[in-house]
Amino acid sequence: MSEDDPERLETRTVDPGRPAPLYAAVERTLEQAIAGGRLAPGTVLTEGPVAALFGSSRTPVRTAMGELAARGMLERFAGRGFLVPGGEAPRRVKLTPAMLGLEEGAPEPQMGAAERIARDFEGSVARALPFGLFRVHEQAAADHYDVSRNVIRELLSRLQDRGLVQKNPRSHWMIGPLTARDVAHYFAIREALEPLALAESAPRLPGRELADMLERVVAAQEEPDDLPPPVIEELESDLHVRLLAASPNPHLLRMIRQSQIALVVNRVFAEFVGSRPFALAMGEHRIVLEFLTRGSWQAGADAMAEHMRLSAERTRRRLMAVSVFPQPELPGYLIRESN
């Protein structure tokens, strides 16, 4: 998997110097089309026709549909494509720009303020988490991104749902600290729930999608140089997000997502030391995916549980290592507090 893969890096610039992922614009457009009734219940959506309307590759469309499925806005369909929920029977129709709220020849949809800054904002929050207790200064964050405080509050509410931030008794938004005890508790939840979601989800996924995940991890293992952190993050998302997203239980997926906060330790660790320490984890990813591509669903779930058990100890050690790293440069809207 190359850092120069055009499908992985495909973005659209929404204002000078601020590239934003196209998948977020696709996700927003599809969500609005579903909510507005332009995509009727039961409508079948597949990657190719949607990508053609956006003039993009399938990669951002695949990501957008996966996010919508995780939120219950779409349902997996017969191992291939997605359904708009609520229909009595699948409806295969020819998609038109009007069905997505697009006009013929219109430019691709522009990102909203929250979507434009969401990834950078979340990244800053995640980098701070292992390094102590921080308070988010709403107005300073709004000034930093040149948006309203309401936009910052919307993003903070999203991060609160995922357990990345919380409000203290004075209604201040707080980050961290993430402790070894927290890591142990989160991994106990993940070890119990992720294999359950995998057993429900993997049989619903297209075989080609599982094969693509396996190909990516094999390519990563064969890469002689350190993998960039975004590639490690993508491989983690394959196993712990995309592989589970077809579970029909949205409550289960929400609980898993809230327990995956400890993944930020690995993200920060990779930024400091590179990808070589992740070789063992990639081997475990490969074992899980090899079972699944052979249709051995329970064996894959058991391998996932073992991966969670081993990852818990590795992440605990990494958290201890991160504690002696110098604090990364953080934006001024994150104010360090005494514990």
Side-chain angles (χ1 to χ4, degrees), residues 229-267:
V231 174
I232 296 174
E233 187 174 349
E234 181 182 29
L235 296 173
E236 293 280 14
S237 293
D238 273 349
L239 197 71
H240 301 298
V241 179
R242 300 182 187 99
L243 191 57
L244 311 181
S247 166
N249 188 336
H251 307 293
L252 175 63
L253 293 177
R254 184 177 67 253
M255 293 173 67
I256 290 172
R257 188 165 177 80
Q258 290 172 340
S259 70
Q260 289 177 337
I261 184 174
L263 286 173
V264 303
V265 175
N266 294 333
R267 189 185 311 170

Side-chain angles (χ1 to χ4, degrees), residues 6 12 17 20 27 29 64 75-76 78 101 105 167 173 249 278:
R12 293 294 184 269
E27 180 184 351
T29 300
E75 296 176 352
R76 297 275 177 177
K167 277 193 172 182
W173 292 102
N249 188 336
F278 292 87

Side-chain angles (χ1 to χ4, degrees), residues 38-52:
R38 292 188 297 274
L39 289 175
T43 299
V44 177
L45 297 176
T46 53
E47 294 169 8
V50 176

